[in-house]
Amino acid sequence: MSFADLGLSDELLRAVTDTGYTEPTPIQASAIPSVLMMRDIIGIAQTGTGKTASFVLPMIDILAHGRSRARMPRSLILEPTRELAAQVAENFEKYGKYHKLSMALLIGGVQMGDQVKALEKGVDVLIATPGRLMDLFERGKILLTGCNLLVIDEADRMLDMGFIPDIETICTKLPASRQTLLFSATMPPPIKKLADRFLSNPKTIEVARPATTNTNIAQWLVPVKGSAFDKRDTLRRLLKTQEVRTAIIFCNRKTTVRELNKSLKKHGFASGEIHGDMEQPARIAELERFKQGDINILVASDVAARGLDIKGVSHVFNFDAPWHPDDYVHRIGRTGRAGATGIAYTFVSADDAENIENIEKLTGQKIARIEAPAAEPVEERPAREEKPRRRGRAERAPEPEQEAPAPARAARKPEPRRRREEPRDDAPDDGWNGPVPGFLSVSIDV
């Protein structure tokens, strides 16, 4: 089957051809004709299956047949994070370049005044995170009564981030007779309840069993002692011996991301970092460095785990075993995309036994264990025969070159104990941190 068999317009087929794609993925082949027939859709697909194009492509053709009205967008795409929203905007620009369509990207970190101006000009599609959209709506800056097509993307991630109440409120502001497309990698009960309430006779398209992992990804558990020093040493040995071209390394906490990136740079690796404490321009810049090959290792928290489509990632390392099994599926889904193969390593200590058991229960498979490569032996220098000195201070032995901290001196005051652990980096990512580059309003001329 080719894209020409799916009922897309000649202009859209030309844009798809320009990108180099020739055959649709299974989710695209199943979803696109149904969307063009105005059916409600529940799409269950693992990451890396091309689901974004499965709703962007037919939406462009649907929108091309109408006219936009001031402050009355005709379609809405909801994404859980700013990065995902910006990525969808890039897809609209890429595939819609032969159509005259406009869009507004509504995310935190961008001046609200610029977004309001874009809305007043009239747009065909809104691409938004729930928090910023709700803020604009409550300020009376946006009307959704003319929005006849709604996409809820990464629904299970919306659930994890606490956005479901906002999604329910937004759905009540749109026309009841609209077309609704819901996409999710898994279908937990709250998402099923949401679909039953707001979708009308939906067609369910499932290209992989919920919570399964990509069969193109070789998965390994790597036993570690648990200390930060041992884990960093194990990671460096794997990075040096496993022919790692590009890798994403996931950590559970933002402080771990920063410390690990600093350690990797110290040992000569071309690495960068991305986490929730970084402002949006810094995140975008770091991702661009990784995509362009300026760095080949990206240390990340779970803010980057879902939905980011970065081609050619050969390895994923779970420096910390994820606390939630769903996060494991989405983390390792950054490799093995679009038919390519990939490798995922998860470091496990004795404290991670329950987490690994939950992951294996969710995915329905046993993950094999593998020992990390042995550390390179340190070459011993032959001792020199010298006569003992009668006078003078004893010479100090050279300190080993390692990351383990030196023993604390007696005069040093002990550091105060931390009262609590740092929270996970999976809080709703929709704050405003100042100006950020991004798509505000884009017009695409023939």
Side-chain angles (χ1 to χ4, degrees):
M1 178 179 291
S2 67
F3 281 100
D5 299 323
L6 303 181
L8 299 171
S9 66
D10 292 339
E11 295 85 357
L12 201 54
L13 291 174
R14 182 182 171 193
V16 171
T17 301
D18 290 346
T19 64
Y21 295 114
T22 57
E23 296 181 359
T25 65
I27 185 67
Q28 293 165 0
S30 299
I32 289 174
S34 297
V35 176
L36 290 173
M37 290 188 292
M38 311 307 292
R39 288 285 305 273
D40 282 7
I41 296 293
I42 297 176
I44 305 174
Q46 62 193 31
T47 56
T49 57
K51 68 176 174 56
T52 300
S54 72
F55 62 81
V56 168
L57 292 175
M59 281 184 71
I60 290 173
D61 269 352
I62 292 172
L63 294 171
H65 291 88
R67 298 180 63 183
S68 62
R69 292 164 289 179
R71 303 187 68 191
M72 293 284 282
R74 292 184 292 137
S75 61
L76 170 64
I77 300 174
L78 293 174
E79 296 287 345
T81 67
R82 289 175 264 180
E83 285 82 7
L84 284 170
Q87 183 173 296
V88 172
E90 289 176 1
N91 274 265
F92 255 94
E93 183 183 45
K94 177 172 61 177
Y95 295 124
K97 63 181 181 179
Y98 298 119
H99 289 80
K100 189 176 181 180
L101 298 173
S102 61
M103 63 183 169
L105 180 61
L106 308 182
I107 58 175
V110 177
Q111 294 292 338
M112 188 176 291
D114 294 336
Q115 295 178 345
V116 172
K117 291 178 182 178
L119 292 171
E120 289 175 345
K121 294 178 182 179
V123 295
D124 295 295
V125 59
L126 294 180
I127 304 170
T129 50
R132 176 53 66 97
L133 181 66
M134 288 292 295
D135 200 346
L136 285 166
F137 186 85
E138 290 169 357
R139 292 168 184 252
K141 302 298 184 181
I142 188 171
L143 296 174
L144 299 175
T145 53
C147 185
N148 294 312
L149 177 54
L150 169 66
V151 177
I152 304 171
D153 195 20
E154 298 280 349
D156 52 351
R157 180 62 166 162
M158 296 280 199
L159 174 65
D160 292 343
M161 299 178 71
F163 283 141
I164 294 303
D166 287 342
I167 300 297
E168 293 174 341
T169 301
I170 292 167
C171 286
T172 62
K173 308 300 181 183
L174 275 66
S177 58
R178 69 181 180 273
Q179 181 183 12
T180 304
L181 316 176
L182 185 148
F183 292 88
S184 185
T186 60
M187 189 57 62
I191 301 303
K192 180 67 166 60
K193 182 179 179 181
L194 181 73
D196 291 342
R197 180 180 176 187
F198 292 108
L199 275 69
S200 176
N201 189 28
K203 177 180 179 180
T204 299
I205 300 170
E206 185 175 348
V207 299
R209 186 173 64 84
T212 58
T213 52
N214 192 330
T215 56
N216 291 337
I217 303 172
Q219 302 169 58
W220 301 98
L221 300 179
V222 182
V224 292
K225 295 178 182 178
S227 70
F229 172 73
D230 181 62
K231 292 170 75 173
R232 289 197 295 263
D233 179 65
T234 301
L235 175 64
R236 290 194 300 270
R237 282 185 273 140
L238 285 170
L239 289 172
K240 291 177 181 178
T241 60
Q242 297 303 305
E243 297 183 358
V244 176
R245 299 189 305 275
T246 54
I248 301 180
I249 304 171
F250 287 106
C251 307
N252 288 345
R253 294 186 175 90
K254 292 172 281 189
T255 52
T256 310
V257 172
R258 291 189 288 263
E259 292 166 358
L260 179 57
N261 182 40
K262 182 179 179 180
S263 172
L264 289 171
K265 287 182 175 179
K266 175 182 174 182
H267 285 82
F269 292 95
S271 66
E273 65 185 63
I274 179 173
H275 53 77
D277 278 351
M278 297 172 63
E279 296 202 4
Q280 188 70 358
R283 288 196 209 178
I284 294 174
E286 203 76 339
L287 285 172
E288 284 303 312
R289 291 179 64 211
F290 186 63
K291 291 179 180 179
Q292 294 174 7
D294 297 333
I295 57 176
N296 72 324
I297 297 172
L298 185 65
V299 187
S301 62
D302 281 311
V303 71
R306 300 192 182 214
L308 291 180
D309 187 8
I310 302 173
K311 296 181 179 179
V313 176
S314 63
H315 290 70
V316 165
F317 293 87
N318 289 312
F319 187 79
D320 297 318
W323 287 317
H324 298 297
D326 281 347
D327 288 337
Y328 176 82
V329 176
H330 290 284
R331 283 183 181 187
I332 72 169
R334 299 309 96 212
T335 186
R337 300 175 72 83
T341 58
I343 301 176
Y345 292 103
T346 300
F347 292 178
V348 294
S349 64
D351 295 336
D352 297 316
E354 183 178 353
N355 293 339
I356 298 303
E357 181 181 345
N358 291 335
I359 289 170
E360 292 177 334
K361 184 182 299 182
L362 177 72
T363 60
Q365 62 185 112
K366 191 77 173 176
I367 307 174
R369 291 177 179 259
I370 187 174
E371 293 294 331
E376 296 181 1
V378 179
E379 183 179 354
E380 296 184 0
R381 296 180 179 179
R384 292 186 298 176
E385 295 183 2
E386 294 184 356
K387 296 180 180 181
R389 297 179 180 177
R390 296 181 180 179
R391 297 180 181 179
R393 298 178 182 177
E395 295 183 358
R396 294 177 58 189
E399 295 182 359
E401 294 182 2
Q402 60 182 20
E403 291 184 45
R409 296 191 177 107
R412 184 180 298 172
K413 295 181 180 180
E415 295 182 0
R417 296 180 61 186
R418 295 175 65 181
R419 294 186 178 180
R420 62 182 179 86
E421 293 183 336
E422 181 180 353
R424 293 184 64 204
D425 189 21
D426 61 356
D429 180 30
D430 200 24
W432 311 334
N433 325 20
V436 59
F439 298 92
L440 296 181
S441 180
V442 180
S443 295
I444 304 165
D445 298 324
V446 178

